[in-house]
Amino acid sequence: MNENGYRELERLVGALKGLRCWYVSCGGAAGPTFQLALGEKVSRHAPLKNAAHSEEYRRFEGEASLLVWCSWRLDGPDRPLTSSDDAPQQIVQELSRLVGAAVASVCLAPPGWDLTLAFSTGLVLRIFCDHVPGEPSFDGNWELWGRDATAFVGPGAHCALQPRTAPEGAGAGGDRAAAAQL
């Protein structure tokens, strides 16, 4: 990634600061993969049909949407709480603690683009980009859909930044994120 791309990725990630998490999509068939809805609620182009989600989430998504495909861990102030290697019910229970918390700080670590989000409640989400070139189990590590741009991170040092192309009024998530919300 060139210097301009790195600055754009930092800008996109930095825009998460101050945004409050209002929904966590996790559990079920998605396994440890999850998505955070952050910031303002934006009307979806077409409501989700999955009744496992709240009516609010089926109609709205966040102005920013973080979708995590790789390994991760959620830490509390004094101990790890859950991770991508935990039991599904524990993952759902602990990730739900992010609802209502605002992103206090972000840290992006090249060359693999590990991401750390610290929240106003003392929780810290650590995203470990473990999908690398060769034969990864998935072709990406995490995605961040913002108002004006999208970052597709992984595998390895790969990062693609694109202008947001979701239809008018579709919100931040776009097609791939919606597919993950089965």
Side-chain angles (χ1 to χ4, degrees), residues 13-179:
V13 168
L16 296 175
K17 290 181 195 171
L19 298 184
R20 190 166 304 281
C21 177
W22 58 268
Y23 192 80
V24 178
S25 174
C26 64
T33 297
F34 69 91
Q35 183 172 359
L36 302 181
L38 303 157
E40 293 179 27
K41 295 173 183 156
V42 179
S43 293
R44 293 182 185 275
H45 178 67
L48 297 177
K49 295 179 180 171
N50 185 341
H53 296 294
S54 70
E55 177 66 24
E56 178 181 53
Y57 188 68
R58 288 184 296 204
R59 292 182 35 233
F60 299 97
E61 61 185 331
E63 71 180 88
S65 181
L66 177 65
L67 181 57
V68 178
W69 302 96
C70 60
S71 295
W72 56 270
R73 187 180 73 233
L74 181 64
D75 293 337
D78 59 349
R79 65 180 176 84
L81 301 173
T82 191
S83 76
S84 53
D85 191 41
D86 207 351
Q89 67 274 16
Q90 189 70 18
I91 289 173
V92 171
Q93 177 183 325
E94 296 298 343
L95 282 178
S96 69
R97 295 172 61 163
L98 294 172
V99 174
V103 177
S105 67
V106 297
C107 179
L108 183 63
W113 311 118
D114 289 351
L115 181 63
T116 302
L117 302 177
F119 289 84
S120 57
T121 55
L123 298 175
V124 178
L125 177 61
R126 301 177 197 283
I127 300 169
F128 309 108
C129 296
D130 61 346
H131 298 149
V132 297
E135 294 185 28
S137 61
F138 194 76
D139 66 352
N141 286 305
W142 55 270
E143 300 173 13
L144 178 58
W145 297 75
R147 284 188 179 268
D148 61 351
T150 304
F152 299 95
V153 176
H158 177 76
C159 179
L161 297 168
Q162 300 175 356
R164 190 165 139 230
T165 58
E168 184 68 29
D175 294 334
R176 188 164 180 191

